[in-house]
Amino acid sequence: MNQLSRRVPLVDGVAKVTGALRFTADLNVEDLLHGALVLSTHPHARVARVDTTAALAVEGVHEVFWHGNTPAHFYNSSIWFSGQKALADEQMFPQIVRHVGDRVAAVVADTEEIARHAARLIEVDYVDLPAIFDPEIALGHAGLPLREDDTPTFLNPVAGEAFVCGDPEAGFAAADLIVETRVTTPRSHHCAVETHACIARPEPDGRILILSPCQSVFAVQAVVCQALSLIPEKIRVQKTPIGGSFGGKAEPILDPLCAFFALKLGRPVIVRYDRHETFAATRTRSSVTGRMRIGLSSDGRILARETETLVDIGAYCTGGNYLPGSMLQRLMRLYEVPAERYSGRAVYTNTVPAGAFRGYGSPQIHTIAEISLDIAARRMGMDPVALRQRNLVGPGAIEPWQGLDLGNARGRECLSRGAEAFGWLERRQRGVGRGRWRRGVGLAAATHINGCYPGFHEETTASLRLLPDGRAELVCALHDLGCGADTTLAQIAAETLGLKASDIVIVPADTDTCPYDLGTRASRMTYICGEAIRRAGVALATSIRAAAGLELNRPADDLHLEAGNVRRRDDAGIALTDLAARLDSRGIELPAATESYRAQANPGSYAAHFAEVEVDRLTGRVRVTDYLAAHDVGRAINPMLVEGQIHGGIQIGIGYGLYEDVAIDRATGRMRGDSFSRYTLANAPEMPPIRVLLVEEGEPTGPFGAKAVGEIATIPVAAAVVNAVNNALGTELTELPLSPERVLAAIG
């Protein structure tokens, strides 16, 4: 059917645009109760009194929950399997709140309006405690993060990572130029259209069913079980459609609460955050302060590099303890650097917790590295493209930290083809102009991973079976976040079976029906899940040909699947519907296949982005006027969806570089950017014309040669934009986002 490299529309596209698709808050659940939360107004305080009298007196209120009548078990909302060891420091309703927006109490009532009204009647007395908002100051609040009994101390650093390879001191001693920089990246918010929501429902068998717009049903199950001290068999989780995530729904935030409320009240319960609550009480991207020292030879070779990162993970650990190591992993995959020294630390502050966000550490570390490299290029008078070409890794390179083969790494092709298509040399020679308006061009390179290998066992199981109507059913723990992953994976299955993507019936992820899977994280869906599905499709096709061979009295090897038929070489054959009917009439089970795939590699995806900007020297405003993104994707299963991913990644990255910051007030701990009226995004008027150039050289270990694009699409954007601004102004701006005030201050 040639389903590969085709611009196939979303398999759920019609349902979305017609409103037939139901998101969590749209579900019609009988006897449903509604929850509303009371959030802390203090950044660090002991909750001394919670007076629920007035709230309980409101007609329609069923219960008020707070730390006095809920489990006090510590848990970590970022674990992804039951029994996983992680720093557990969260509680459903902590007696000591640790950020403005922390959970204090919840009202469950007949309607959301009643619940929110009653929540406003709850009186809370706080005893303030010292609060820390600055990660540098947080380092002084030092000690072990856990006591001997495994209770958290909230001392710093929470985690750290250190690595040395080669001889950095010798490299710096031999360098002709040493450049030192300090780059800071902001806290940004996911801004998904769908706010956070969850439904939990008691089942007749005594279990709790959770309906969750999540990135892993098994992660939800694990977190809820840890929070409530239950065994996994007591919790069933079904994925509901997701109205955007970008990592914001990777961690179960409302699920433990809903499950407990449903368990105690014996009724289904929904909790749905409004926009302010989603800003103040969920997760953000972590802010990072990076210091980088680069030693270069006169011909542009990087001889040594030293990097320090300080990661502000906010009030709770979540997955922040992995960030220093994640940043190191990404840093080591882009350039051939003979001598490296890296030190990364993650610290608590009394601010909203940080969590997973598209790229998970990559945007921060690549922004630091690519701005620093551009400053080095300017100081040594070398073209930024030429400097990167001299140092980029090539196919078969081995990264020094984990010793992994980076696969068919085509970053150099991205850079050269992208520079030519963008007209890099011509634009650079054109100059920046004079007067009020200045134009500049910038670029940045990036890399990212394909799955979690060699960490926690990176494995996926997929099952495919022929249906009576000639279609195929796919059972695999898939979690499409709205980006079209289901469509891409359906194309992979359809290609093996001679069907169309729309002929693949995808069963929603469910802990009862799907084998365990990590879920949507670490850019693994196409590369890992896609390969499992490809193998299952090949196995099912073999079974179908064998069954059809008996019907047609032909060897199975003489048959092939095409357009919903099993065909002989002379084009005669049998339709899959007829084959299914014949088998069913004789009581023969329809063909099915299950295949598990365990990763053996983790190649790199690569990109080079080019930006042109216009800077108003009078107001400090920056406008991105042109953009080109060149991406090494191995093979684009669906070029339309790949381009869509890249377009969306650029929008996030432009916001990251120029506008987005939740802006924690360093005096009060309050979030100033806590709504769309106060948080600036790159909206349609701010978006430039975008061109996408796909480098498709194939990845031998990927399904049909494909590898990831979802996260890397946003990683180089901010650095490319900042580098363009610095080119336009002759500045060395390194503090993001580049607000007009910061631009004007740099101009002087």
Side-chain angles (χ1 to χ4, degrees):
M1 285 297 291
N2 190 25
Q3 287 293 288
L4 303 181
S5 303
R6 292 188 60 191
R7 305 173 79 85
V8 175
L10 294 176
V11 292
D12 58 356
V14 172
K16 284 180 175 177
V17 299
T18 60
L21 191 70
R22 290 291 182 260
F23 296 94
T24 307
D26 303 322
L27 297 176
N28 184 16
V29 178
E30 188 177 354
D31 216 20
L32 186 65
L33 297 176
H34 297 258
L37 269 68
V38 176
L39 303 178
S40 173
T41 56
H42 294 238
H44 192 200
R46 181 170 58 84
V47 177
R49 184 179 70 97
V50 178
D51 189 340
T52 64
T53 306
L56 288 169
V58 174
E59 184 176 356
V61 170
H62 289 256
E63 185 59 273
V64 176
F65 296 98
W66 55 294
H67 72 259
N69 61 359
T70 54
H73 309 299
F74 286 105
Y75 64 96
N76 184 305
S77 59
S78 75
I79 62 172
W80 54 83
F81 63 93
S82 294
Q84 182 180 353
K85 299 297 182 183
L87 199 163
D89 56 8
E90 299 174 62
Q91 293 172 299
M92 292 174 58
F93 296 100
Q95 187 170 7
I96 295 179
V97 292
R98 300 191 177 275
H99 69 98
V100 174
D102 211 346
R103 297 185 295 264
V104 176
V107 176
V108 179
D110 288 334
T111 68
E112 184 176 352
E113 293 74 16
I114 293 173
R116 289 191 177 274
H117 168 67
R120 289 191 290 270
L121 299 178
I122 294 175
E123 296 180 7
V124 182
D125 291 340
Y126 298 92
V127 177
D128 284 327
L129 299 169
I132 299 173
F133 309 125
D134 188 319
E136 299 276 1
I137 295 174
L139 284 172
H141 194 58
L144 296 176
L146 289 173
R147 297 186 178 91
E148 290 184 359
D149 62 356
D150 284 340
T151 58
T153 64
F154 296 96
L155 296 175
N156 290 310
V158 181
E161 190 71 56
F163 175 72
V164 178
C165 71
D167 188 341
E169 295 309 320
F172 284 116
D176 296 302
L177 174 70
I178 296 176
V179 175
E180 297 186 28
T181 55
R182 180 182 184 272
V183 181
T184 61
T185 63
R187 280 177 173 266
S188 53
H189 186 69
H190 305 84
C191 297
V193 173
E194 178 195 31
T195 60
H196 282 63
C198 178
I199 295 174
R201 183 178 72 197
E203 295 289 273
D205 60 6
R207 296 190 299 170
I208 297 295
L209 170 65
I210 298 174
L211 305 173
S212 178
C214 61
Q215 292 186 210
S216 169
V217 291
F218 291 99
V220 172
Q221 184 185 57
V223 171
V224 171
C225 288
Q226 189 180 47
L228 304 188
S229 193
L230 296 174
I231 59 174
E233 289 74 19
K234 291 293 185 181
I235 300 294
R236 179 185 181 186
V237 184
Q238 290 179 341
K239 174 199 167 290
T240 54
I242 299 178
S245 175
F246 316 109
K249 290 162 187 164
E251 298 177 16
I253 295 171
L254 298 177
D255 308 65
L257 309 181
C258 288
F260 181 72
F261 301 161
L263 185 66
K264 296 298 289 185
L265 299 175
R267 295 264 301 270
V269 177
I270 182 173
V271 177
R272 175 177 57 179
Y273 273 167
D274 63 20
R275 183 62 60 186
H276 166 73
E277 291 165 335
T278 296
F279 267 98
T282 59
R283 302 287 184 264
T284 67
R285 191 189 295 282
S286 60
S287 63
V288 176
T289 300
R291 291 177 172 82
M292 184 166 281
R293 183 172 175 236
I294 308 173
L296 300 106
S297 64
S298 59
D299 63 356
R301 288 178 296 119
I302 301 174
L303 302 181
R305 185 169 57 178
E306 186 173 53
T307 309
E308 292 183 8
T309 59
L310 181 60
V311 186
D312 182 353
I313 65 170
Y316 296 105
C317 178
T318 68
N321 54 323
Y322 300 120
L323 277 169
S326 294
M327 286 192 246
L328 169 61
Q329 180 195 41
R330 280 63 157 171
L331 182 67
M332 296 293 108
R333 289 175 155 242
L334 189 56
Y335 298 113
E336 292 180 347
V337 182
E340 291 264 17
R341 179 182 290 115
Y342 175 88
S343 173
R345 292 171 293 180
V347 295
Y348 288 119
T349 58
N350 293 115
T351 59
V352 62
F357 198 153
R358 193 174 187 176
Y360 198 68
S362 274
Q364 296 99 314
I365 196 63
H366 283 300
T367 297
I368 294 164
E370 290 298 289
I371 292 175
S372 300
L373 198 59
D374 235 58
I375 290 172
R378 179 182 298 125
R379 292 186 186 178
M380 70 187 309
M382 189 171 185
D383 183 86
V385 169
L387 178 59
R388 287 171 173 82
Q389 280 286 22
R390 190 171 294 278
N391 293 284
L392 277 166
V393 300
I398 305 296
E399 57 90 353
W401 184 44
Q402 295 174 305
L404 295 178
D405 189 323
L406 297 176
N408 194 13
R410 295 290 176 171
R412 294 171 183 166
E413 285 77 5
C414 290
L415 194 59
S416 60
R417 296 185 199 177
E420 181 179 1
F422 187 69
W424 172 261
L425 290 177
E426 296 86 345
R427 294 191 196 216
R428 290 277 290 190
Q429 292 168 358
R430 195 180 304 157
V432 300
R434 294 185 177 183
R436 175 178 172 179
W437 307 96
R438 301 293 173 88
R439 283 186 176 266
V441 291
L443 76 126
T447 183
H448 200 59
I449 56 174
N450 280 261
C452 296
Y453 179 85
F456 175 75
H457 66 277
E458 177 58 283
E459 183 175 352
T460 290
T461 299
S463 297
L464 280 161
R465 69 182 182 96
L466 180 65
L467 296 174
D469 61 5
R471 297 183 297 167
E473 179 185 79
L474 171 60
V475 177
C476 186
L478 305 182
H479 298 76
D480 190 325
L481 308 185
C483 57
D486 281 358
T487 304
T488 298
L489 297 172
Q491 287 177 256
I492 290 173
E495 177 69 16
T496 65
L497 298 171
L499 297 171
K500 295 180 294 184
S502 57
D503 293 327
I504 306 299
V505 179
I506 298 177
V507 177
D510 185 328
T511 53
D512 267 15
T513 60
C514 298
Y516 176 80
D517 182 78
L518 289 169
T520 299
R521 65 181 75 235
S523 291
R524 61 183 298 275
M525 293 303 289
T526 297
Y527 181 73
I528 301 295
C529 297
E531 179 60 15
I533 291 167
R534 186 194 69 80
R535 294 183 180 208
V538 170
L540 177 58
T542 299
S543 297
I544 290 173
R545 289 199 309 271
L550 296 176
E551 297 295 326
L552 300 173
N553 197 27
R554 286 294 182 103
D557 290 345
D558 288 346
L559 305 175
H560 67 279
L561 303 181
E562 181 183 347
N565 297 276
V566 185
R567 297 191 188 279
R568 303 186 317 211
R569 294 183 181 180
D570 61 3
D571 269 353
I574 184 172
L576 291 177
T577 50
D578 293 336
L579 174 63
R582 292 189 190 183
L583 295 175
D584 185 63
S585 68
R586 295 202 297 275
I588 299 175
E589 191 172 331
L590 298 186
T594 297
E595 290 287 328
S596 295
Y597 171 64
R598 176 169 289 192
Q600 300 297 317
N602 191 336
S605 294
Y606 290 85
H609 284 205
F610 300 80
E612 180 184 69
V613 302
E614 182 180 74
V615 186
D616 184 346
R617 287 174 53 87
L618 180 63
T619 65
R621 294 293 301 272
V622 176
R623 185 167 67 95
V624 184
T625 56
D626 194 18
Y627 204 95
L628 183 140
H631 276 264
D632 163 30
V633 299
R635 180 176 187 177
I637 302 297
N638 187 322
M640 178 176 66
L641 298 185
V642 169
E643 291 166 8
Q645 284 278 53
I646 294 170
H647 279 241
I650 292 168
Q651 185 269 341
I652 288 178
I654 290 175
Y656 191 47
L658 297 180
Y659 311 115
E660 296 190 41
D661 189 353
V662 298
I664 303 295
D665 189 302
R666 290 294 177 91
T668 66
R670 292 182 177 275
M671 183 185 291
R672 293 197 293 266
D674 61 357
S675 67
F676 283 157
S677 64
R678 298 183 179 186
Y679 185 88
T680 306
L681 292 161
N683 294 310
E686 286 76 50
M687 292 300 293
I690 296 173
R691 289 172 288 163
V692 174
L693 190 159
L694 300 182
V695 175
E696 298 184 78
E697 298 290 340
E699 172 52 52
T701 60
F704 297 110
K707 54 186 176 182
V709 72
E711 292 187 277
I712 194 174
T714 200
I715 291 167
V717 183
V721 171
V722 171
N723 290 339
V725 173
N726 282 332
N727 171 244
L729 300 176
T731 52
E732 292 186 354
L733 287 158
T734 59
E735 186 175 359
L736 278 63
L738 298 190
S739 64
E741 294 80 8
R742 286 173 177 158
V743 172
L744 290 174
I747 294 172

